[in-house]
Amino acid sequence: MSLQPKQVNFTEYWREISNTLSCIITCGKVDRRIWSDRFSDVYELCVASPEPLHNELYDGIRSFLENHVTVIIEDIKQSGDENLISAYHKHWERYSKGSQYINSLCSYLNQQFIKKNKRTNAEYSYGDISLLEPHPNYLEIGELAYDVWKKLLITPLQKGLVEAVLDEIHRDRIHTGSLNHSVVHSVINSLVSVDEQSRPNSQLVLYKSVFESSFLRTTGEYYKQKASDYISKLTCCEYLEKSIQLLNEEDLRSRKFLHPSSYQEVKAEMEKRISSDHVEMLHAECADLIEKESFKDLKNMYTLLMPIKATYPLCHCLENHIKKIGLEMVESFTQENIHQQFVEAMLQLHKKYSTMVKETFSNDQHFIAVLDKACAAVINHKSPNQRFCKSPELLVKYSDSLLRKSTKALSETDIDEKLNASITVFKYLADKDIYQGVYQRMLCKRLIYKSSASMDAEEAMINRLKQTCGYEFTNKLHRMFTDINISADLTNKFVDYCKDKTPLDHSFSILVLQAGAWPISSQKIPRFQLPSELEGSVQAFEKFYETRFNGRKLSWVHGYSTGELKLSYLGKPYYVTLGLFQMAILLQFNEGDRFSSSELKDRTKLEDKEWNRHITPLLDSKMLVVVCLIFNPPSLFHFLLYKLD
């Protein structure tokens, strides 16, 4: 083939081209040699001398397509209304494929002539031409073929074609359809293809105006009637279940037949007819479903109400229900181990309805907020005769029971899980400052009296509080831990110091606590005379501490001190651990068998309040017995130990 322009006879060339086009448009077999020859013919017409014949070629192809489509429409009409869709589908599948082959055959015409003369996308988007105006004179051959199909076939047949398609979809809804789904989809998709090919940026005007609007109208009418029938015959729970089934079926149907741009439109129409039109009826059933805790029906209710943003009554009923159940739990508590009952009941409440929110309401943020609000209301509830909410104190006691040494055989894993779960309740506390104060006092006792079951568990609990409320909330608690660690090191150094100076005749350990970190007030230290047996140890430590920390002042808090006494007046020694004030009272009996209360008070310098608080346990345990009751002079006390069998 020569690429040089030459004079050609258009009539002769067109006769060969039109014959080949007739074969191609019907998807007939075309020999490779013939295809190459026709491709060359198109080229030679486009570069013919003295004038290119591309206009004549373009007009000839357009006339050919128009004549062919005219024949097709007559054939479709003759097939009858009952076979309209099948006939349309058969011709469309062949025509659409054949037109693309013709487009490839005429690629040189498209590139060198049509693209230089056709309107640009910018002209369509920003020019004065409306999308509804006729197309410009020049379209690429593939676009031209679709444009001819639209004007000469779809436009005259669109009413009957759309009605036939809608009728087939209706038959599919009532499960009496006879056509293959792919046939219906092909007919609908032809409208989309024509839109996309015949006009850039068309926004599927043909598909939406010709088919989608009618489809949405008939869909709304069908489901409006369907919903009314269900309401008149079914219970609310049955209506919910049937409605979900209809929504799922129609969604699947949309994906079988429609363009993706219609999915949301169909869904919105369904929701309007099934949910919005009957929202008052649905809202009226919310309270009963919540009361029965019918999770399956509630999930169906949520599925219908959520898309139309009508879940508020459901949220409101759930909040009231959780509050009611929670307060009933609180009122059922007995006085024994009330702190354990409280925390475990609140965790049970939260777990139950958290699962409900997750599985029934898909963790919807509105329902999570409702759960939080209801749990906070229950946990911070106080009866009318209470000045303060007891929840912070109960939660601290629960933690204390887990962290304190006890005879209950709980593994470290169990303790850690329970403490971690208690943070869930802590997050809902309104008075976290009260919790902080009570927790600090109980931690103080556990650390001072060495009653913690595990220091690792103590530290882990403080870290949980820190993660929840920040560093400032747990600052003092961390400082308390630091003091305990420093004091252990300080005691060891003091023991070494005494070995070099004057060894002590008894063991002695000390806790040096920062005044601002511990819940101990130096202003309320009771008056007390240290026993002579301990004065040497205290003085030695003060000298040692002054050498290490010059300028610091020590304030002795003897009320928190404990001591161990060895009782050796019986056949074998016994050891008793008790508070320093009580130990000071008993040590007086090293100097005599009997003392009056005034003598003991004078020797210990204890005030009446502290005296009564510490002498009573000694009398109750029979370690001291009253020999006689004389108001003046005061009564005498005798030291007595239980006999051990």
Side-chain angles (χ1 to χ4, degrees):
M1 172 181 100
S2 174
L3 299 179
Q4 294 296 323
K6 61 181 181 179
Q7 289 185 346
V8 297
N9 187 323
F10 178 79
T11 303
E12 294 179 359
Y13 272 68
W14 175 247
R15 185 187 311 114
E16 298 296 331
I17 291 175
S18 63
N19 290 336
T20 304
L21 292 181
S22 298
C23 188
I24 293 175
I25 199 65
T26 56
C27 295
K29 185 177 180 181
V30 177
D31 187 76
R32 183 185 297 273
R33 181 185 59 79
I34 294 176
W35 178 275
S36 298
D37 289 345
R38 297 298 83 76
F39 191 90
S40 299
D41 292 345
V42 170
Y43 171 78
E44 290 177 3
L45 288 174
C46 290
V47 298
S49 176
E51 292 292 335
L53 299 174
H54 38 57
N55 280 320
E56 289 82 353
L57 177 61
Y58 183 86
D59 292 339
I61 294 173
R62 179 169 57 191
S63 297
F64 168 82
L65 292 172
E66 290 173 348
N67 293 334
H68 181 71
V69 170
T70 301
V71 173
I72 290 176
I73 194 171
E74 290 301 323
D75 184 69
I76 292 175
K77 289 179 179 179
Q78 290 177 7
S79 65
D81 294 342
E82 64 278 5
N83 297 316
L84 177 62
I85 294 180
S86 299
Y88 179 94
H89 165 70
K90 180 185 70 174
H91 286 292
W92 165 251
E93 290 294 309
R94 187 185 300 165
Y95 180 85
S96 60
K97 186 181 296 185
S99 63
Q100 296 307 311
Y101 288 142
I102 294 176
N103 188 66
S104 299
L105 183 67
C106 300
S107 58
Y108 189 83
L109 176 66
N110 289 334
Q111 293 291 333
Q112 299 301 317
F113 170 65
I114 297 175
K115 284 190 176 181
K116 293 179 180 179
N117 293 278
K118 69 181 294 188
R119 297 182 183 275
T120 64
N121 289 348
E123 289 177 307
Y124 282 112
S125 300
Y126 308 111
D128 295 332
I129 300 177
S130 167
L131 292 177
L132 298 178
E133 287 179 349
H135 288 276
N137 288 331
Y138 296 108
L139 295 171
E140 291 186 31
I141 299 304
E143 297 173 352
L144 176 65
Y146 278 69
D147 185 63
V148 170
W149 182 271
K150 173 186 174 181
K151 291 179 178 178
L152 299 186
L153 196 147
I154 292 180
T155 300
L157 291 180
Q158 70 179 38
K159 182 178 179 181
L161 192 63
V162 169
E163 288 178 353
V165 170
L166 294 178
D167 185 59
E168 284 300 325
I169 293 176
H170 177 73
R171 290 182 182 181
D172 186 73
R173 287 190 180 121
I174 61 176
H175 308 292
T176 61
S178 58
L179 278 179
N180 190 310
H181 293 160
S182 62
V183 174
V184 179
H185 174 74
S186 173
V187 174
I188 297 173
N189 193 58
S190 71
L191 304 178
V192 176
S193 299
V194 167
D195 259 336
E196 292 175 339
Q197 284 287 336
S198 62
R199 182 67 62 87
N201 301 325
S202 65
Q203 299 178 350
L204 306 181
V205 173
L206 178 65
Y207 167 79
K208 290 187 175 296
S209 62
V210 171
F211 173 75
E212 186 186 75
S213 58
S214 298
F215 176 79
L216 292 176
R217 175 178 53 77
T218 56
T219 298
E221 292 171 353
Y222 175 79
Y223 285 107
K224 181 178 181 179
Q225 183 61 46
K226 196 76 172 175
S228 299
D229 292 343
Y230 280 165
I231 288 175
S232 63
K233 298 176 182 178
L234 305 177
T235 65
C236 177
C237 296
E238 292 172 336
Y239 176 79
L240 294 172
E241 191 167 349
K242 286 290 186 180
S243 296
I244 299 297
Q245 182 180 343
L246 291 179
L247 285 168
N248 292 335
E249 288 177 354
E250 194 62 30
D251 181 66
L252 180 61
R253 189 171 294 110
S254 296
R255 297 176 189 280
K256 283 193 303 185
F257 296 135
L258 308 183
H259 185 265
S261 65
S262 297
Y263 297 166
Q264 192 58 39
E265 299 289 338
V266 175
K267 186 172 181 288
E269 184 67 25
M270 290 283 294
E271 290 163 356
K272 178 181 179 183
R273 300 307 178 187
I274 289 177
S275 303
S276 298
D277 289 354
H278 307 284
V279 69
E280 293 182 359
M281 182 274 290
L282 297 175
H283 284 168
E285 298 293 330
C286 290
D288 185 56
L289 294 180
I290 290 287
E291 185 70 24
K292 294 177 180 177
E293 295 189 353
S294 178
F295 290 178
K296 178 183 177 182
D297 295 327
L298 285 171
K299 185 172 185 178
N300 290 339
M301 179 71 79
Y302 172 77
T303 302
L304 293 186
L305 295 180
M306 186 273 295
I308 63 173
K309 303 186 185 306
T311 58
Y312 173 76
L314 195 58
C315 291
H316 181 69
C317 292
L318 178 62
E319 180 182 347
N320 291 338
H321 180 69
I322 297 175
K323 287 180 183 177
K324 176 187 173 185
I325 299 298
L327 293 177
E328 288 175 355
M329 287 180 169
V330 172
E331 292 172 359
S332 67
F333 296 155
T334 59
Q335 290 304 311
E336 185 178 358
N337 291 330
I338 189 171
H339 58 276
Q340 184 175 349
Q341 297 176 60
F342 169 75
V343 176
E344 291 180 354
M346 295 304 100
L347 290 174
Q348 179 186 350
L349 181 76
H350 183 269
K351 181 179 180 180
K352 175 181 178 180
Y353 291 103
S354 290
T355 302
M356 180 181 183
V357 168
K358 178 181 179 181
E359 297 179 356
T360 305
F361 303 120
S362 304
N363 266 343
D364 188 308
Q365 291 300 314
H366 293 93
F367 287 87
I368 292 175
V370 162
L371 174 64
D372 291 342
K373 187 176 179 181
C375 287
V378 174
I379 290 172
N380 295 293
H381 173 75
K382 61 180 180 180
S383 58
N385 58 348
Q386 290 179 337
R387 289 187 59 193
F388 303 102
C389 177
K390 293 184 178 180
S391 299
E393 184 177 353
L394 293 175
L395 184 57
V396 174
K397 287 183 178 179
Y398 177 79
S399 301
D400 182 68
S401 68
L402 296 171
L403 293 168
R404 186 182 294 276
K405 292 178 182 176
S406 67
T407 57
K408 294 181 179 180
L410 284 177
S411 66
E412 290 187 5
T413 302
D414 291 337
I415 292 174
D416 187 68
E417 289 177 355
K418 288 178 178 292
L419 289 173
N420 190 53
S422 70
I423 295 297
T424 300
V425 181
F426 170 76
K427 291 177 180 178
Y428 290 112
L429 288 179
D431 297 323
K432 289 185 173 62
D433 290 340
I434 296 178
Y435 176 95
Q436 182 190 40
V438 179
Y439 190 93
Q440 187 182 20
R441 290 196 296 273
M442 291 194 172
L443 175 63
C444 171
K445 293 179 180 179
R446 292 197 298 272
L447 294 179
I448 289 177
Y449 299 127
K450 299 179 181 179
S451 60
S452 289
S454 168
M455 295 302 286
D456 290 339
E458 293 278 9
E459 191 168 6
M461 184 63 185
I462 293 175
N463 286 333
R464 292 187 187 100
L465 296 174
K466 177 182 176 181
Q467 291 174 0
T468 305
C469 292
Y471 174 77
E472 287 299 323
F473 186 83
T474 58
N475 182 27
K476 291 183 178 180
L477 306 182
H478 281 295
R479 288 165 63 189
M480 291 167 70
F481 255 88
T482 302
D483 287 348
I484 295 298
N485 295 330
I486 292 176
S487 295
D489 182 61
L490 202 60
T491 297
N492 294 332
K493 291 180 180 179
F494 173 62
V495 172
D496 295 337
Y497 170 84
C498 290
K499 289 179 182 178
D500 298 335
K501 302 292 182 181
T502 303
L504 301 176
D505 57 358
H506 54 266
S507 60
F508 182 85
S509 63
I510 195 76
L511 293 176
V512 179
L513 313 177
Q514 300 177 63
W518 294 73
I520 301 172
S521 174
S522 60
Q523 304 298 323
K524 298 180 181 180
I525 298 175
R527 188 163 58 93
F528 173 65
Q529 176 61 50
L530 195 69
S532 58
E533 292 86 346
L534 300 178
E535 287 182 351
S537 301
V538 171
Q539 292 171 1
F541 183 80
E542 287 178 339
K543 290 180 182 179
F544 161 77
Y545 192 80
E546 187 175 354
T547 61
R548 294 291 191 280
F549 307 99
N550 187 25
R552 291 189 183 180
K553 179 183 177 182
L554 290 175
S555 297
W556 293 90
V557 187
H558 297 304
Y560 286 87
S561 301
T562 59
E564 187 177 81
L565 285 179
K566 180 181 180 182
L567 307 178
S568 54
Y569 70 94
L570 295 174
K572 61 179 181 179
Y574 291 91
Y575 294 88
V576 181
T577 301
L578 65 175
L580 183 57
F581 292 167
Q582 294 172 337
M583 187 174 71
I585 294 172
L586 295 183
L587 284 174
Q588 306 307 316
F589 288 87
N590 281 333
E591 302 178 17
D593 292 336
R594 297 188 178 193
F595 290 95
S596 68
S597 59
S598 60
E599 288 175 329
L600 291 174
K601 288 169 67 175
D602 184 61
R603 284 170 173 261
T604 59
K605 305 301 182 185
L606 288 172
E607 298 174 350
D608 290 342
K609 180 180 178 182
E610 293 297 326
W611 167 261
N612 293 332
R613 191 158 68 91
H614 291 91
I615 196 66
T616 301
L618 296 176
L619 293 173
D620 292 341
S621 64
K622 301 296 176 58
M623 295 187 74
L624 291 179
V625 295
V626 178
V627 177
C628 60
L629 291 173
I630 303 174
F631 291 101
N632 189 19
S635 60
L636 300 177
F637 294 99
H638 178 67
F639 184 65
L640 177 67
L641 182 69
Y642 277 122
K643 288 185 178 181
L644 301 177
D645 295 335

